[in-house]
Amino acid sequence: MLIQDKFHVTYCSNIHPGEDWESTFRNLKDFIPKIKGELSKDSPFGIGLRLSNAASIQLDQGSNLEDFKNWLAQNNCYVFTMNGFPFGEFHKTQVKDKVHAPDWTTRERVDYTKRLFKQLAFLLPSGMSGGISTSPISYKHWYASKEQLAQALKTGSKHLTEVLLYLQELEKTTGKYLHLDIEPEPDGLLENTVEFVDFYENYLVPTANKEIVSRMGLNEQEAEQLTKRHITLCYDICHYSLAYEEPTFTFEQMRKVGITIGKIQVSSALKIIFEKGKEDQIWNSLARFNEPTYLHQVTEKKEGKVKVYNDLPMVLKNRKAHKELRAHFHVPIFLEKFDDLYSTQDQILSTLSYLEKHDVTEHLEVETYTWDVLPETLKVDLGQSIIRELKWLKEHMA
């Protein structure tokens, strides 16, 4: 069996602009049949669906949800994963840190996520697990003290517990296993493996155990197993390369503490290696990626510690001496090098190598959402770019 046969492989539809259901569905109808025709003409094609809060509300209206399920069946497609990280507008507007809002301290985030799960449970084929990726609780720079950060983690744990209890009820009524995949990223409240495990063990499990034991009559061990079944990790390869953490480290740490990987997002960051005598040339190449829509955190590892600069303009303005920087800019996964810059494609290859020998997750989703803000020389036909990324991934899984 080929390694790719073990997985549901797709791309995330957050690549397509559109914040209401009409435009979301129109994009799916425009792109999915062509992409499927190139990649899985005679076999089912999985979709990684991104719905804004507005689109999700509209999907529940009238016969929209039933019509969409019928369209999926007619086109031999299915939805197995959703991206529930960006709540609001995600294209053609300044997103920056607003991508975290509303965060997991709010009722809006809970209601949005529960609605997405209800829709996923309706769309998901029987006998298949389904997952939704979500934000790493909140954004660090919104909090002025450690006490405020701790309170955000406590509130986030309470709201996540509400969602996992909802997932347990959905499984009872639908027979479908669903999981919420938390996605660490630079400057999120959870950035890396250590922070994720610390949150899980010191905030989420104690909060969830108390509620589950009280409501369901389970013992603490059973309650913890239930939490670990429904609240999982979304391993975004780009984000973990920015943390300078190898996939083996993260996956082994998750295995040791018994936390599941719900989804792997296959993505690649910018890697900037400063060659002596070419510094100005390299800085000029990097400046081409300075655009105003998304946060492009920059990280640097010095003396064993990772320093995070909260956006690309900060390092471009100062142009200090560095050996290597990595920038949070999702670049096409099939590119190892362009101009004077590199990508963290090597981290993708390391992840695929690990997956050859270990069972980690069933869900793989390519997430290059920055096509419309890439430098002009990297912009090509969107449909063909998606096809090229998925073909590259499947070839390297063969």
Side-chain angles (χ1 to χ4, degrees):
M1 181 175 68
L2 297 177
I3 179 176
Q4 65 189 48
D5 295 335
K6 296 160 55 179
F7 301 97
H8 302 282
V9 181
T10 189
Y11 78 100
C12 182
S13 68
N14 67 351
I15 191 172
H16 303 301
E19 304 306 326
D20 57 22
W21 173 242
E22 182 182 0
S23 57
T24 298
F25 196 17
R26 183 172 60 249
N27 280 323
L28 294 174
K29 288 188 283 189
D30 285 346
F31 284 92
I32 294 297
K34 299 172 189 175
I35 294 168
K36 182 184 184 303
E38 289 276 349
L39 296 166
S40 59
K41 186 176 181 181
D42 300 316
S43 56
F45 181 75
I47 294 175
L49 184 63
R50 186 259 160 165
L51 296 174
S52 70
N53 182 59
S56 175
I57 290 171
Q58 292 161 8
L59 181 57
D60 265 353
Q61 295 172 350
S63 63
N64 286 342
L65 189 57
E66 185 73 43
D67 292 344
F68 180 44
K69 189 171 185 176
N70 290 336
W71 180 86
L72 290 169
Q74 291 163 7
N75 287 273
N76 199 14
C77 294
Y78 62 98
V79 174
F80 67 93
T81 187
M82 288 185 175
N83 185 339
F85 193 147
F87 177 97
E89 294 187 12
F90 195 60
H91 290 274
K92 302 188 185 304
T93 185
Q94 190 175 73
V95 179
K96 295 294 183 181
D97 61 328
K98 293 195 294 289
V99 71
H100 292 274
D103 64 14
W104 274 102
T105 67
T106 68
R107 172 53 43 186
E108 291 94 332
R109 175 62 65 172
V110 178
D111 292 344
Y112 166 60
T113 305
K114 288 168 72 173
R115 189 188 322 112
L116 288 181
F117 270 118
K118 184 180 179 182
Q119 292 166 337
L120 179 58
F122 181 78
L123 297 170
L124 183 71
S126 298
M128 193 179 294
S129 68
I132 296 176
S133 50
T134 192
S135 78
I137 312 304
S138 190
Y139 182 61
K140 277 183 177 174
H141 294 293
W142 291 347
Y143 301 92
S145 67
K146 290 183 179 179
E147 290 75 21
Q148 290 178 349
L149 282 168
Q151 185 57 50
L153 292 172
K154 288 177 183 177
T155 305
S157 297
K158 180 181 177 182
H159 285 155
L160 288 169
T161 299
E162 180 180 337
V163 172
L164 83 86
L165 289 169
Y166 180 70
L167 297 184
Q168 182 66 12
E169 288 301 314
L170 272 178
E171 187 168 8
K172 287 180 182 178
T173 58
T174 67
K176 294 176 181 179
Y177 164 51
L178 303 168
H179 45 82
L180 180 64
D181 316 327
I182 299 174
E183 181 183 341
E185 75 163 36
D187 280 338
L189 256 57
L190 311 178
E191 295 193 56
N192 52 44
T193 302
V194 172
E195 290 184 0
F196 183 84
V197 172
D198 178 75
F199 164 73
Y200 210 105
E201 294 185 337
N202 296 311
Y203 289 91
L204 180 59
V205 168
T207 301
N209 273 9
K210 184 177 179 180
E211 196 71 20
I212 294 169
V213 169
S214 171
R215 290 196 182 198
M216 301 179 65
L218 303 178
N219 62 40
E220 289 205 350
Q221 183 178 2
E222 292 169 332
E224 184 171 336
Q225 288 174 345
L226 192 65
T227 300
K228 289 179 175 177
R229 187 165 187 269
H230 288 295
I231 308 296
T232 65
L233 174 70
C234 173
Y235 182 82
D236 186 303
I237 300 176
C238 165
H239 297 172
Y240 275 88
S241 70
L242 293 164
Y244 292 81
E245 291 184 352
E246 289 298 317
T248 299
F249 171 75
T250 302
F251 295 151
E252 290 301 317
Q253 290 300 308
M254 294 300 110
R255 183 185 59 79
K256 285 178 184 177
V257 297
I259 300 174
T260 304
I261 312 294
K263 172 165 69 175
I264 294 176
Q265 286 185 323
V266 183
S267 54
S268 193
L270 279 173
K271 183 189 292 185
I272 306 99
I273 299 173
F274 290 90
E275 300 176 44
K276 194 171 182 179
K278 294 182 63 178
E279 290 87 353
D280 286 344
Q281 195 173 321
I282 292 167
W283 280 118
N284 291 338
S285 291
L286 181 59
R288 295 171 57 225
F289 288 85
N290 186 24
E291 61 81 34
T293 305
Y294 304 108
L295 269 179
H296 300 296
Q297 304 94 324
V298 178
T299 62
E300 179 179 30
K301 191 170 186 179
K302 297 181 73 173
E303 299 177 355
K305 294 183 178 181
V306 177
K307 178 179 176 60
V308 180
Y309 305 91
N310 64 2
D311 208 353
L312 182 56
M314 182 184 297
V315 295
L316 288 172
K317 178 181 178 181
N318 296 324
R319 293 200 174 197
K320 293 182 178 179
H322 304 276
K323 288 185 178 179
E324 179 182 331
L325 296 173
R326 297 182 182 184
H328 184 199
F329 199 117
H330 289 228
V331 293
I333 64 172
F334 50 74
L335 292 177
E336 179 186 9
K337 189 178 187 300
F338 31 90
D339 291 342
D340 301 291
L341 306 176
Y342 295 83
S343 76
T344 58
Q345 187 192 81
D346 55 330
Q347 187 108 354
I348 298 175
L349 297 174
S350 295
T351 301
L352 296 180
S353 179
Y354 189 92
L355 295 180
E356 288 181 13
K357 302 172 184 176
H358 305 87
D359 290 329
V360 176
T361 182
E362 297 176 332
H363 295 180
L364 296 185
E365 178 185 55
V366 175
E367 200 212 10
T368 307
Y369 59 81
T370 52
W371 288 100
D372 56 343
V373 296
L374 283 170
E376 289 300 324
T377 54
L378 293 179
K379 288 183 181 178
V380 291
D381 177 77
L382 182 56
Q384 289 305 311
S385 298
I386 296 168
I387 291 167
R388 186 177 175 188
E389 285 201 299
L390 288 170
K391 281 186 173 180
W392 181 93
L393 176 59
K394 290 192 173 188
E395 286 168 4
H396 286 81
M397 293 170 68

